[in-house]
Amino acid sequence: MPIWLPIALMIGSALANQQAVRRVEKERGALAAAESARQAGLGEEARARLAQVLQSQERPAIDQAIAEGTAERERKFEAAVPPDAAEEYIVNPSAPKEVRSEMAREMVDALSRGRQRAAALAKLGGRSDAEFGTKVALTRSGQDLGRIGGFSRGSASVLPVELQGAAAKGENWRRLADLFSLGATAT
């Protein structure tokens, strides 16, 4: 038997082992890159959600929410007491003229005070509506960020298992290396 045969089989075994290691490392690198891309995507989603909620908490957005809430409440109050309600008030025609004019004036004053109070309540209610909307937005964004964080933790916890599975990528090359090594030992 030629002396070079066991040496060639040993070199073949070493090259096959080297190829097995390369395949495993390549697969592990691909899995790590995929996980990195997933984590970057989840991080970007979290940053976008946080930026969105922070933007809704800036002064112009809050002022707009207050103005919209105030306008909505003013519309509701005006629907309850229309602006021309004082003109609809009819005083008893049998009452003396002085009493009728005094009652009409008192009614107009009462309606005016009522409108002023309604406007003040609308502003107060508009602010409350804006604060409630802010609390809801912050709660929802917190839930969204928690969900994204859960996805991130879940994805990261799978990576070690995937990396262990990557070892199987070089299995065929390892078998070939074992065969070469067995042949070298036999010769």
Side-chain angles (χ1 to χ4, degrees):
M1 174 165 303
I3 191 146
W4 56 266
L5 183 61
I7 295 172
L9 289 173
M10 296 278 283
I11 291 173
S13 175
L15 290 175
N17 271 328
Q18 188 179 26
Q19 188 62 28
V21 168
R22 283 187 187 139
R23 292 291 298 271
V24 169
E25 290 302 317
K26 182 179 178 183
E27 182 66 16
R28 285 183 175 175
L31 290 170
E35 178 61 23
S36 179
R38 275 193 300 271
Q39 292 295 332
L42 289 169
E44 187 56 39
E45 185 180 349
R47 277 188 291 282
R49 183 64 177 109
L50 187 59
Q52 179 187 19
V53 78
L54 289 177
Q55 185 179 18
S56 73
Q57 302 308 308
E58 291 177 354
R59 192 65 195 180
I62 291 173
D63 288 344
Q64 181 182 358
I66 290 171
E68 289 171 0
T70 300
E72 178 64 27
R73 286 178 178 262
E74 285 175 345
R75 280 192 294 279
K76 289 178 182 177
F77 286 139
E78 280 184 15
V81 181
D84 57 353
E87 297 170 7
E88 295 177 8
Y89 180 72
I90 300 173
V91 180
N92 185 354
S94 64
K97 183 179 180 180
E98 292 80 20
V99 171
R100 283 191 310 232
S101 65
E102 181 64 24
M103 287 178 72
R105 189 180 59 73
E106 289 296 324
M107 178 55 83
V108 169
D109 289 347
L111 285 172
S112 175
R113 284 191 306 274
R115 281 193 190 93
Q116 288 173 352
R117 281 198 176 143
L121 286 173
K123 285 181 182 177
L124 210 65
R127 185 171 298 281
S128 294
D129 291 347
E131 288 176 8
F132 180 74
T134 295
K135 289 176 184 174
V136 168
L138 290 173
T139 300
R140 285 187 181 152
S141 69
Q143 290 169 341
D144 291 345
L145 291 173
R147 177 186 50 80
I148 293 167
F151 289 158
S152 177
R153 284 186 301 279
S155 179
S157 68
V158 172
L159 182 63
V161 176
E162 289 176 331
L163 291 176
Q164 286 176 347
K169 283 293 183 182
E171 196 61 35
N172 291 339
W173 286 104
R174 277 192 287 279
R175 277 194 210 115
L176 185 60
D178 289 345
L179 287 174
F180 282 147
S181 180
L182 185 62
T185 305
T187 60

